[in-house]
């Protein structure tokens, strides 16, 4: 029933969105609520995507239950990469991967044909002067819309000899696929290995992979996910000093990859709540957290000033035209497509667990399922906060990938995993073959 309700939400968003776009042209998407347009097609990735889907549906639950833990993590990473690469290659190598991050809105525009980051310290000091649309040499939309660590990632790739759209796309897919591993590590640390194993096939075969390849937000999702994973290890007693320091460093980097990912503080709060040793690692987390902000601040970049300029820039563009009254609920329809019907069904069960057992019971180490439910609901709360902010109107199938990854473990609550995995794979294949998405 929850999955059917999500299908109804998506249908309603599509119908009303199409009417609004045809009548007023104020949604700025061709196939509401998604950013993309109708273009049925197949490509070189089609056979591979189908084979990966069939293999995970047939053998995923069994292998997840029986493989040694480390082998499971490696298998999950490799399979997630295979799934994402194959879906991206449905659009072909050039259109699906090599050119995705080279369009006029993307990060590589400031590297080629003219490298505006040849002097990195000067570019950082001058960064805020180019955020507004009417400023001299205004940054492309995605460069202006993110702190400079996002752009610097591709600048540094270029300097190491991995320049161009192809290497950028491969980087985002390869690193982005590790997000599934980070979520598994977190679920095991906080809720036990059994639930992590049940969630593994769903993390691998997520419809989110349609946008993970190729989008920089897939890379952002992995950094944020590992920040949470190391925090979970730290607060459960697994090397609290080194894990806490690593978590803090990654949280600092996360804040300088995307302004909106500061909402990961909500998920981090949930992890702290579930941790059994909260206080010991906190000094190391805080020490690690200040490193990246300190480096960028000393280099001349002002995060708060840039964020306020971004808000102005957002409303100068499509964000000032797109109606909040539509997107505040249509964004949730996008999320339903990203996470798939299995996750929606799992979220319904996750919402019931704390109510049935009470918060105190949920915090006990023995209460595995309620603890997982609290982690998933913390991610849902962060996503809803992003939605209500009004700074995420449309394109949330890409922008909310970091949050969506933390909703997927709700699938561990489901029975009949193969049936639900089939639904997940079918949705992803239909989306990728019927629509030409923006990423």
């Amino acid at each position: 029933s929850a999955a059917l309700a999500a299908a109804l939400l998506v249908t309603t968003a599509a119908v009303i969105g199409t009417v609004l776009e045809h009548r007023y042209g104020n949604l700025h998407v061709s196939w509401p609520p998604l950013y993309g347009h109708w273009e049925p097609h197949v490509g070189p990735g089609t056979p591979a995507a189908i084979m990966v889907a069939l293999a995970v549906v047939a053998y995923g639950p069994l292998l997840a239950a029986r493989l040694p833990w480390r082998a499971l993590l490696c298998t999950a990473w490799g399979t997630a990469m295979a799934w994402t690469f194959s879906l991206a290659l449905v659009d072909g190598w050039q259109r699906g991967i090599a050119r995705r991050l080279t369009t006029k809105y993307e990060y590589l525009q400031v590297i080629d044909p003219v490298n505006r980051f040849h002097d990195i310290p000067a570019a950082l000091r001058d960064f805020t002067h180019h955020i507004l649309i009417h400023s001299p040499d205004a940054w492309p939309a995605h460069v202006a819309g993110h702190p400079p660590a996002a752009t610097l990632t591709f600048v540094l790739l270029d300097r190491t000899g991995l320049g161009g759209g192809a290497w950028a796309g491969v980087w985002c897919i390869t690193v982005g696929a590790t997000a599934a591993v980070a979520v598994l590590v977190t679920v095991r640390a906080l809720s036990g290995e059994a639930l992590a194993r049940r969630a593994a096939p769903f993390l691998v075969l997520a419809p989110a992979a349609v946008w993970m390849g190729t989008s920089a937000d897939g890379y952002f999702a992995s950094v944020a996910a590992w920040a949470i994973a190391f925090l979970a290890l730290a607060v459960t007693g697994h090397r609290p000093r080194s894990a806490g320091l690593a978590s803090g460093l990654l949280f600092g980097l996360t804040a300088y990859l995307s302004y909106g990912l500061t909402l990961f503080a909500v998920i981090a709060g949930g992890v702290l709540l579930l941790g059994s040793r909260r206080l010991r690692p906190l000094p190391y987390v805080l020490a690690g957290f200040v490193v990246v902000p300190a480096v960028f601040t000393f280099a001349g970049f002002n995060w708060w000033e840039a964020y306020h300029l971004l808000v102005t820039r957002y409303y100068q563009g499509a964000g000032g035209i797109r109606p909040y009254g539509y997107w505040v609920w249509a964004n949730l329809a996008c999320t339903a497509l990203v996470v798939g019907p299995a996750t929606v069904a799992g979220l319904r069960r996750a919402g019931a667990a704390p109510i049935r057992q009470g918060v105190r019971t949920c915090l006990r180490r023995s209460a595995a399922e309620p603890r997982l439910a609290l982690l998933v609901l913390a991610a849902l709360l962060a996503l809803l906060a992003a939605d209500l902010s009004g700074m995420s109107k449309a394109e949330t199938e890409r922008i909310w990938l970091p949050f969506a990854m933390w909703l997927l473990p709700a699938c561990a609550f489901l029975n009949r995993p193969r049936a639900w995995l089939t639904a997940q794979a079918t949705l992803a294949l239909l989306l990728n073959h019927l629509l030409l998405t923006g990423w």
Side-chain angles (χ1 to χ4, degrees):
S1 60
L4 288 174
L8 179 60
L9 175 65
V10 171
T11 303
T12 304
V15 172
I16 294 178
T18 300
V19 171
L20 289 174
E21 182 64 13
H22 285 171
R23 183 172 298 178
Y24 304 108
N26 58 352
L27 299 187
H28 288 263
V29 292
S30 300
W31 203 86
L34 298 176
Y35 186 86
H37 59 270
W38 181 262
E39 187 176 320
H41 61 288
V42 295
T46 298
I50 294 173
M51 286 190 292
V52 171
L54 290 174
V56 175
V57 170
Y59 301 108
L62 182 64
L63 289 175
R66 295 185 178 181
L67 282 175
W69 178 250
R70 291 186 179 180
L72 173 60
L73 295 181
C74 293
T75 303
W77 182 25
T79 309
M81 276 197 294
W83 178 234
T84 308
F85 268 115
S86 61
L87 287 174
L89 289 172
V90 170
D91 298 340
W93 172 257
Q94 288 296 324
R95 189 166 67 172
I97 295 177
R99 291 205 304 261
R100 288 292 193 184
L101 294 168
T102 64
T103 66
K104 64 179 181 180
Y105 302 111
E106 290 284 0
Y107 304 95
L108 270 63
Q109 282 292 308
V110 300
I111 301 175
D112 184 39
V114 178
N115 189 346
R116 296 175 62 181
F117 276 76
H118 66 279
D119 185 343
I120 292 177
L124 292 177
R125 289 193 300 270
D126 201 40
F127 192 88
T128 56
H129 298 152
H130 306 288
I131 292 178
L132 298 180
I133 284 181
H134 301 297
S135 59
D137 297 321
W139 298 122
H142 287 186
V143 177
H146 296 82
T151 306
L152 279 180
T153 299
F154 301 106
V155 172
L156 295 177
L157 279 176
D158 182 75
R159 290 196 175 185
T160 58
L162 303 179
W167 281 115
V170 169
W171 166 268
C172 289
I173 293 175
T174 304
V175 177
T178 68
V181 180
V183 176
L184 287 176
V185 170
T186 305
V187 173
R188 182 185 189 230
L190 297 176
S191 304
E193 190 169 314
L195 284 175
R197 289 178 178 275
R198 284 165 58 181
F202 292 95
L203 284 160
V204 165
L205 204 64
V210 173
W211 296 276
M212 296 284 277
T214 306
S215 163
D217 292 83
Y219 156 55
F220 303 161
S222 69
V223 175
W226 281 109
I228 294 293
F230 279 115
L231 181 62
L233 292 173
V235 300
T236 53
H238 297 80
R239 298 183 179 180
R241 296 179 181 179
S242 56
L245 185 63
S247 175
L249 285 168
L250 290 173
F251 271 121
L253 177 59
T254 298
Y256 279 74
L257 288 172
S258 175
Y259 299 102
L261 295 187
T262 52
L263 286 170
F264 258 73
V266 178
I267 305 176
V271 172
L272 289 174
L273 187 66
L274 295 170
S276 56
R277 301 177 182 180
R278 307 180 187 99
L279 297 180
R280 185 181 177 189
L282 279 183
Y284 301 97
V285 175
L286 294 174
F289 178 78
V290 301
V291 172
V292 173
V295 169
F296 277 95
T297 301
F298 287 135
F301 172 74
N302 187 320
W303 192 97
W304 284 105
E305 179 187 3
Y307 173 71
H308 290 298
L309 289 170
L310 165 66
V311 174
T312 302
R313 165 74 182 251
Y314 183 75
Y315 286 97
Q316 286 178 331
I321 300 171
R322 287 169 169 158
Y324 180 85
Y326 171 78
W327 287 110
V328 72
W329 59 271
N331 284 337
L332 302 179
C334 290
T335 304
L337 291 171
V338 171
V339 300
T343 306
V344 175
L347 284 172
R348 205 282 305 165
R349 295 190 176 186
I355 296 174
R356 288 197 309 267
Q357 305 207 18
V359 175
R360 288 188 179 181
T361 303
C362 294
L363 296 180
R364 295 175 184 169
R365 292 293 297 174
S366 59
E369 291 192 3
R371 290 170 65 83
L372 177 58
L374 285 178
L375 176 65
V376 169
L377 293 175
L380 181 60
L381 180 61
L383 186 146
L384 292 175
D387 188 30
L388 294 174
S389 73
M391 291 293 291
S392 298
K393 291 183 288 187
E395 305 178 38
T396 49
E397 63 271 23
R398 167 186 62 84
I399 299 170
W400 288 356
L401 281 173
F403 302 110
M405 292 302 299
W406 292 94
L407 302 181
L408 295 170
C411 297
F413 295 115
L414 298 174
N415 299 318
R416 295 180 296 177
R418 286 189 176 88
W420 286 111
L421 284 168
T422 300
Q424 297 286 89
T426 301
L427 174 61
L429 291 169
L430 287 174
L431 286 170
N432 216 131
H433 284 86
L434 296 178
L435 299 178
L436 186 63
T437 59
W439 299 276

